[in-house]
Amino acid sequence: MKKHYFLTTALLFSLFTYSQVGIGTTNPQEDLHIAGNNSTIRIESLNITNNPLNDGINNSKVFVDSNGNFTLTPPNFTAGGSGNSNLPLNFLIDVPDFIPDNVDGLPAPYDRLGRIATSNTTNESLEVFIYSVTFTTPQACTVEVKHGITVVISGSDMSIPSLAYINDNKTRVITSFFCFDVNNDGLSPAEKALQYGTKAQFYCSVAGGSLGYPYMNSQGYATLPPGTHSIHFFGIITDPPNTMTSVGFGGATDYLKMRVYN
Amino acid sequence: MKKILPYIFTLVISFSYGQVGINTNTPQEELHVAGSNSTIRVEGLNSTNNTNNLGVGSSSPVYVDADGDLVLGTLTDNVEILFDSEDYLMNVQDPTNLVNQTGGGAGYSQAGIPIGGTAISFTLTRPAIVEVNYSVSFTLGKNVAPNSRVDDFRARIVQLGMYFRTGNYLGPAVVNDYYGNPINGGPWCITSNCSELGGLLAINGQFYNNISDRDGEWKSYRNTASDYVVLGPGTYTPMFACQLAVGSTLGTGAMKLYLGTSKDEVQIIAYYFN
């Protein structure tokens, strides 16, 4: 009987080393193989009693830390934190009114015209850089952009400054798009050639039409490496020959949202 | 036989160790699976046994339930479509969805009541990135009838934004996001006399123009937009504020717009925090 007790004690207190272990199987296929149609692993430190990140209502996402240990603690998590500290893995960059309302520093009442571009009577098409926003991605990711740019359209050159209804009955087209400057080191011709979220709408009126702010809305996706990048917005005015079209981009409340999927 | 029995007893109950190592003599955790390519296979989570396994060629997120048991995420653990309405606003032409034309400048009016009234809302139990997608119909004209269309050829802007009310559609308007920041840098006046402020989302504006009071389309239009906002736990109801603006109102005169007169699509999708 002494021998038996010794063996039992040994089993309970020694550290056991296996090469492969099967639970519910005698033929393990991995280092640890837990067989059975309904098999799972219980880790009590992750349960509702022991882990404040387990709310017991919804299942809690499991991560592995740098040691490979299972954890419920998400990346960049701050205990008891709020706000941006505990963003989801796929987070959101929100830049309200991302284009300054008075880029050219004009006096009132011309101080809400944004970035002004004027296609005068000699131009039939004009492209203008509107504004850029710098942002940082922590790792290689796919970025989703949704935005709205306010527009005001005048029949006189707003940069003078002035404002006048378009009254020539001619249709013109206002276009916007955006590009990504990877690493924020200057928008190269190749980067400029990748144009996303192109949106265009027409304008045409007699006197007394709109001098207000419709929105140019669009969206697009891009895959980016980790680092600091910038998103550059451009506008295009297209109008008939001998036609004056002055457009202010971003004079009212614009919005820019970037979902980062990493 | 008497001697063998204690061994069998031992084998059955002895799976209670302090620490177990696989491929290591010095386990650092209760269960330590060593080896640079080591992994754990749990058959209860494989694609044969678990319908939440996304199958060959895809990895599936792993969660724990309240007991700490490893489980596979269901659809709603990550992302949830809270709302997918095929026709959101009541298809009427009455004061509840009327937007009167304003001159230049801001002048949103709330318009439209959800079909289903106070029964319509969605609830977030956790903070979430909320995506909104809408396509909302409108009809416009002088008297919104076939023989009184816009006839002054003055370009008008039809501007539309979504905002949330707390609780049902009669609750107070939501101004700030989860972080306490004004939604989209707002708020905006959402009634014509600015008696209430709201945080507008997915603001969209397009032009309308027409020159004949008997010809030209005056219905079947839609404003469409998409946006994100971070919201905290709570019950919310999507609502709309609309503006019909023209620089000079001297042309056709008082103009009306009715919102939601045809089918409207509204989708609310929650992407939950960690």
Side-chain angles (χ1 to χ4, degrees):
Chain A
M1 283 307 280
K2 263 186 183 175
K3 267 186 179 175
H4 299 156
Y5 282 122
F6 175 76
L7 279 172
T8 308
T9 311
L11 277 169
L12 282 171
F13 293 103
S14 341
L15 298 172
F16 281 79
T17 307
Y18 309 99
S19 52
Q20 287 194 311
V21 173
I23 296 177
T25 174
T26 53
N27 184 23
Q29 302 296 309
E30 300 287 351
D31 308 83
L32 174 59
H33 183 158
I34 300 165
N37 295 352
N38 296 310
S39 59
T40 184
I41 297 173
R42 176 166 296 187
I43 305 170
E44 290 188 350
S45 70
L46 305 184
N47 72 14
I48 183 176
T49 310
N50 298 316
N51 197 309
L53 295 176
N54 189 330
D55 65 7
I57 301 166
N58 299 98
N59 294 329
S60 306
K61 197 165 196 170
V62 177
F63 304 86
V64 291
D65 66 14
S66 59
N67 291 320
N69 290 356
F70 289 122
T71 176
L72 299 186
T73 305
N76 307 315
F77 183 83
T78 308
S82 61
N84 285 298
S85 62
N86 293 336
L87 277 170
L89 206 52
N90 300 325
F91 61 98
L92 181 70
I93 299 170
D94 181 355
V95 192
D97 204 7
F98 66 101
I99 303 168
D101 291 348
N102 190 6
V103 175
D104 295 323
L106 299 176
Y110 307 103
D111 55 351
R112 295 192 70 221
L113 302 176
R115 173 78 72 185
I116 295 167
T118 301
S119 170
N120 60 27
T121 52
T122 57
N123 275 329
E124 288 182 44
S125 183
L126 176 76
E127 182 181 296
V128 62
F129 164 73
I130 300 174
Y131 210 69
S132 68
V133 172
T134 303
F135 62 98
T136 300
T137 54
Q139 54 183 256
C141 62
T142 295
V143 174
E144 176 186 10
V145 175
K146 296 189 186 206
H147 78 282
I149 298 174
T150 54
V151 172
V152 59
I153 303 168
S154 170
S156 67
D157 185 346
M158 288 187 286
S159 62
I160 287 177
S162 67
L163 263 178
Y165 289 119
I166 280 179
N167 61 1
D168 57 15
N169 301 8
K170 298 184 201 170
T171 297
R172 48 273 273 164
V173 173
I174 316 300
T175 305
S176 64
F177 64 89
F178 56 88
C179 304
F180 290 98
D181 175 4
V182 177
N183 297 324
N184 195 29
D185 54 0
L187 193 68
S188 70
E191 289 170 337
K192 176 70 194 305
L194 290 174
Q195 300 180 355
Y196 301 84
T198 301
K199 161 81 180 214
Q201 59 178 327
F202 84 100
Y203 184 82
C204 146
S205 185
V206 295
S210 296
L211 274 175
Y213 300 98
Y215 277 77
M216 306 289 285
N217 308 67
S218 82
Q219 49 200 308
Y221 287 87
T223 300
L224 299 171
T228 297
H229 315 293
S230 53
I231 179 169
H232 294 239
F233 290 85
F234 293 87
I236 301 172
I237 306 165
T238 314
D239 60 11
N242 302 311
T243 306
M244 181 72 157
T245 309
S246 190
V247 178
F249 293 94
T253 309
D254 320 295
Y255 65 91
L256 170 63
K257 310 290 168 75
M258 281 186 275
R259 251 333 264 295
V260 180
Y261 297 86
N262 56 358
Chain B
M1 282 304 284
K2 266 187 181 175
K3 276 188 177 177
I4 293 168
L5 274 173
Y7 286 108
I8 295 167
F9 185 61
T10 303
L11 284 172
V12 172
I13 60 129
S14 66
F15 289 102
S16 305
Y17 308 111
Q19 290 189 311
V20 172
I22 297 175
N23 291 325
T24 175
N25 287 320
T26 55
Q28 303 297 308
E29 304 286 351
E30 285 74 18
L31 173 61
H32 185 160
V33 185
S36 54
N37 294 311
S38 62
T39 187
I40 299 173
R41 175 174 294 186
V42 184
E43 289 188 353
L45 305 182
N46 72 16
S47 59
T48 308
N49 296 321
N50 197 312
T51 52
N52 291 322
N53 188 301
L54 299 175
V56 177
S58 184
S59 54
S60 306
V62 175
Y63 295 78
V64 291
D65 63 15
D67 293 329
D69 293 353
L70 294 182
V71 296
L72 292 184
T74 60
L75 186 65
T76 55
D77 285 321
N78 252 345
V79 49
E80 191 171 6
I81 297 178
L82 298 164
F83 222 87
D84 188 5
S85 175
E86 291 298 306
D87 191 4
Y88 187 67
L89 296 176
M90 296 170 76
N91 302 328
V92 295
Q93 282 193 25
D94 66 25
T96 63
N97 67 334
L98 169 65
V99 177
N100 282 309
Q101 174 179 276
T102 62
Y108 285 97
S109 303
Q110 64 168 339
I113 294 174
I115 296 174
T118 54
I120 298 298
S121 64
F122 66 88
T123 298
L124 295 176
T125 54
R126 295 172 282 164
I129 295 177
V130 174
E131 179 176 5
V132 308
N133 297 314
Y134 71 74
S135 172
V136 171
S137 57
F138 62 88
T139 302
L140 80 173
K142 190 171 183 180
N143 288 311
V144 197
N147 60 354
S148 69
R149 308 174 199 208
V150 172
D151 60 0
D152 61 7
F153 204 60
R154 289 180 178 168
R156 286 166 168 80
I157 302 171
V158 177
Q159 198 105 297
L160 185 63
M162 179 191 283
Y163 66 98
F164 291 112
R165 288 189 177 277
T166 303
N168 63 36
Y169 83 92
L170 298 171
V174 177
V175 170
N176 295 333
D177 65 13
Y178 172 59
Y179 306 120
N181 299 321
I183 291 169
N184 276 339
W188 285 258
C189 297
I190 54 171
T191 57
S192 53
N193 61 1
C194 204
S195 59
E196 192 172 15
L197 297 172
L200 290 183
L201 284 163
I203 314 171
N204 169 257
Q206 61 176 318
F207 292 110
Y208 176 81
N209 211 341
N210 194 42
I211 202 167
S212 164
D213 68 350
R214 306 274 165 147
D215 289 304
E217 276 305 314
W218 54 288
K219 51 188 180 183
S220 309
Y221 291 99
R222 278 175 179 76
N223 268 25
T224 303
S226 181
D227 201 354
Y228 283 111
V229 64
V230 179
L231 293 177
T235 298
Y236 304 92
T237 301
M239 293 289 284
F240 291 92
C242 184
Q243 171 182 297
L244 174 63
V246 67
S248 167
T249 56
L250 299 175
T252 300
M255 291 271 300
K256 298 182 181 71
L257 180 150
Y258 289 102
L259 196 69
T261 44
S262 183
K263 281 200 165 187
D264 320 294
E265 184 172 357
V266 173
Q267 289 187 317
I268 307 289
I269 301 121
Y271 302 87
Y272 290 114
F273 274 37
N274 294 321

